[in-house]
Amino acid sequence: TDRVSLGNEEWNPWEADEKNEQAAAQQRYENNLKMIKNARSHLEQTDLRVQIWGKAAIGLYLWQHIFGGHLEPADVTAQWREGSQKAGRTYFSFITGPSVVPGYFSVEAENVVLVLNGRERAKIAYATQWLRYAQTLARTGKVQRVAVVLLGNEQCNNEWIQPYLKRRGGFVDLLFVTYDYALVNEEDIFQWPLGVATYRNFPVVEPSWSMLHDPRSYLCNFLGTVYKNSSREALMEILKQDGLDKLCWIAAREQWQPQETNESFKNYQDALLQSDLTLCPVGINTECYRIYEACSYGSLPVIEDVMTHGDCRNSSVYHSAPLQLLKTMGAPFIFIKDWKELPAVLEKEKRMSLQEKIQRRKKLVEWYQNFKAWMRQKFINTLENSFLPSDKG
């Protein structure tokens, strides 16, 4: 009777299953469409437009390294460079370059992030001009909300910015500042990573197979300035003992040089790529570009874990504990209090197998990628929570 009822059609024992699967696939497709439509309409309803004015090199770390954003033109010497991307519920546009001058470009968003350099007096004078320009725009209603990303002073002397903060009667809603600034409160003042030296055009490094797996020629590296009567002098002495300096790539100079030559920059990158450890002695501040640059190449930072002179402090329960941001994020570095501990670290290093080093490199590179992703998300969330209208009644 089955054959009669089927007529000339061939009987298919899986027909019911196929129909169910087809229906389920159609349902999934419709659900996905609905989800995309909802997400789009949600974006349209709560879209936030933020324009970032990059007037310090730290802005390039924010845009290219943390946001993974691109800039046009690619030429780093161009007078004007810009980029844009959607992230979270926000449309970000970024402008930078010498031609970005107060009053000579169009303000295209009611919400602005101003990236400033507050390292020294001349930079502060320039940063202040930008703040006054933003203040005028805020007073005339052309700008509603302002955040500042500040390359802070290495000794945390940032008092000059305080009168501009909203909590002090100013107009700046949020401040993201480098180093262990005592006023960081995770409410309107946040610690921001120093990052790599973008002013020396340090690139965004994509991890390669060989970077992670190849044996490296040196146990450690240190290329940098050795100041008189500093712990760096002590480090050099310790490295000379037992011929440890022969196992590491060491290039010390007596004076700091802001401008890299092509050759010196290539040497530095090669040293990071060819060393398992990167030695990070304190300078004016414990935090330095070298930490982030070493992470980029899978070379583990060995950090002199002491607070430097000045006004830098944090909320750590430990006395004189710097690098609160990196430690909070579980940075898998080697922290030492005195360079006398280094020979024992290097002895342990000699005994490590290549396989162990490969695993450590992978862990470091993955941590650094996650760190940048987390900072990006934190930045977006902080802006959206502060700048978007509250849903509460």
Side-chain angles (χ1 to χ4, degrees):
T1 55
D2 278 346
R3 278 189 187 281
V4 174
S5 66
L6 280 165
N8 292 328
E9 288 177 30
E10 203 170 317
W11 179 60
N12 180 355
W14 293 283
E15 188 173 21
D17 288 348
E18 283 175 359
K19 279 185 178 160
N20 288 343
E21 179 49 41
Q22 244 174 343
Q26 184 64 26
Q27 191 58 51
R28 281 199 297 272
Y29 173 71
E30 284 170 11
N31 287 346
N32 283 342
L33 266 185
K34 229 180 255 175
M35 209 164 67
I36 291 163
K37 277 181 188 161
N38 285 346
R40 277 196 184 136
S41 66
H42 187 57
L43 259 176
E44 281 155 19
Q45 287 162 20
T46 58
D47 206 11
L48 185 68
R49 294 184 75 84
V50 173
Q51 195 175 24
I52 304 173
W53 303 343
K55 292 312 296 177
I58 195 171
L60 295 176
Y61 184 68
L62 165 68
W63 187 252
Q64 294 182 306
H65 293 252
I66 288 181
F67 266 70
H70 296 285
L71 288 175
E72 291 293 337
D75 176 11
V76 295
T77 62
Q79 289 290 301
W80 176 284
R81 303 176 77 200
E82 59 188 311
S84 62
Q85 68 168 267
K86 261 207 160 103
R89 296 149 73 185
T90 307
Y91 177 82
F92 287 95
S93 58
F94 180 93
I95 54 168
T96 191
S99 288
V100 181
V101 179
Y104 287 85
F105 64 93
S106 59
V107 180
E108 290 171 1
E110 290 184 337
N111 307 287
V112 166
V113 176
L114 192 47
V115 187
L116 301 172
N117 185 337
R119 269 270 173 96
E120 58 210 39
R121 196 168 289 174
K123 304 287 187 189
I124 291 167
Y126 184 61
T128 303
Q129 289 176 18
W130 275 97
L131 283 164
R132 288 187 181 141
Y133 173 60
Q135 191 169 28
T136 304
L137 292 174
R139 279 184 185 144
T140 55
K142 286 181 182 164
V143 163
Q144 297 299 319
R145 305 273 188 178
V146 177
V148 170
V149 176
L150 178 66
L151 176 61
N153 174 272
E154 287 173 282
Q155 295 188 318
C156 299
N157 305 322
N158 302 315
E159 286 72 22
W160 66 275
I161 191 91
Q162 289 183 37
Y164 294 98
L165 303 182
K166 198 155 264 188
R167 57 164 51 220
R168 296 290 183 94
F171 67 99
V172 173
D173 297 86
L174 303 168
L175 174 65
F176 300 87
V177 60
T178 57
Y179 305 118
D180 292 279
Y181 187 40
L183 296 186
V184 166
N185 56 19
E186 293 294 314
E187 291 167 17
D188 63 335
I189 304 175
F190 302 85
Q191 189 169 352
W192 192 249
L194 179 62
V196 302
T198 47
Y199 71 93
R200 290 202 301 247
N201 301 324
F202 193 90
V204 177
V205 180
E206 294 299 335
S208 64
W209 192 92
S210 61
M211 182 203 292
L212 296 172
H213 293 85
D214 285 357
R216 299 193 174 192
S217 309
Y218 300 92
L219 286 186
C220 70
N221 76 76
F222 173 69
L223 286 73
T225 314
V226 177
Y227 307 102
K228 290 282 178 204
N229 306 317
S230 70
S231 67
R232 295 183 177 200
E233 277 193 330
L235 169 59
M236 290 300 116
E237 285 305 313
I238 285 158
L239 282 167
K240 280 172 193 166
Q241 293 166 19
D242 306 324
L244 292 174
D245 56 342
K246 304 284 187 292
L247 304 172
C248 296
W249 185 328
I250 306 297
R253 58 187 177 216
E254 288 181 11
Q255 277 193 316
W256 182 72
Q257 293 170 306
Q259 293 306 315
E260 291 277 2
T261 63
N262 287 342
E263 187 186 3
S264 70
F265 190 49
K266 185 179 184 312
N267 266 348
Y268 176 56
Q269 288 176 294
D270 285 347
L272 296 176
L273 191 56
Q274 288 299 323
S275 312
D276 286 302
L277 304 176
T278 292
L279 307 182
C280 303
V282 297
I284 301 170
N285 194 285
T286 312
E287 190 175 3
C288 60
Y289 298 117
R290 186 181 281 108
I291 295 170
Y292 300 89
E293 291 164 351
C295 289
S296 299
Y297 281 100
S299 182
L300 192 75
V302 180
I303 295 174
E304 185 180 1
D305 190 19
V306 294
M307 195 70 95
T308 45
H309 297 297
D311 297 326
C312 296
R313 296 188 300 287
N314 58 45
S315 57
S316 168
V317 292
Y318 303 104
H319 179 62
S320 293
L323 307 175
Q324 176 136 318
L325 176 63
L326 291 170
K327 288 174 181 172
T328 303
M329 290 301 297
F333 305 159
I334 296 173
F335 294 97
I336 60 178
K337 292 292 181 191
D338 192 304
W339 287 115
K340 287 175 186 166
E341 299 168 47
L342 184 61
V345 170
L346 294 181
E347 271 310 310
K348 188 180 174 190
E349 199 64 20
K350 285 182 202 170
R351 294 194 296 271
M352 277 183 80
S353 69
L354 177 59
Q355 202 50 47
E356 287 172 315
K357 288 178 178 178
I358 289 168
Q359 289 312 313
R360 185 177 66 187
R361 280 179 218 159
K362 285 180 177 174
K363 182 183 171 188
L364 175 63
V365 167
E366 185 182 8
W367 173 83
Y368 185 48
Q369 287 173 331
N370 288 339
F371 172 77
K372 290 187 288 186
W374 188 84
M375 290 310 304
R376 177 180 184 268
Q377 202 51 53
K378 181 177 182 177
F379 186 77
I380 294 164
N381 290 350
T382 304
L383 290 185
E384 289 180 351
N385 290 340
S386 178
F387 290 3
L388 278 171
S390 171
D391 293 334
K392 299 169 191 167

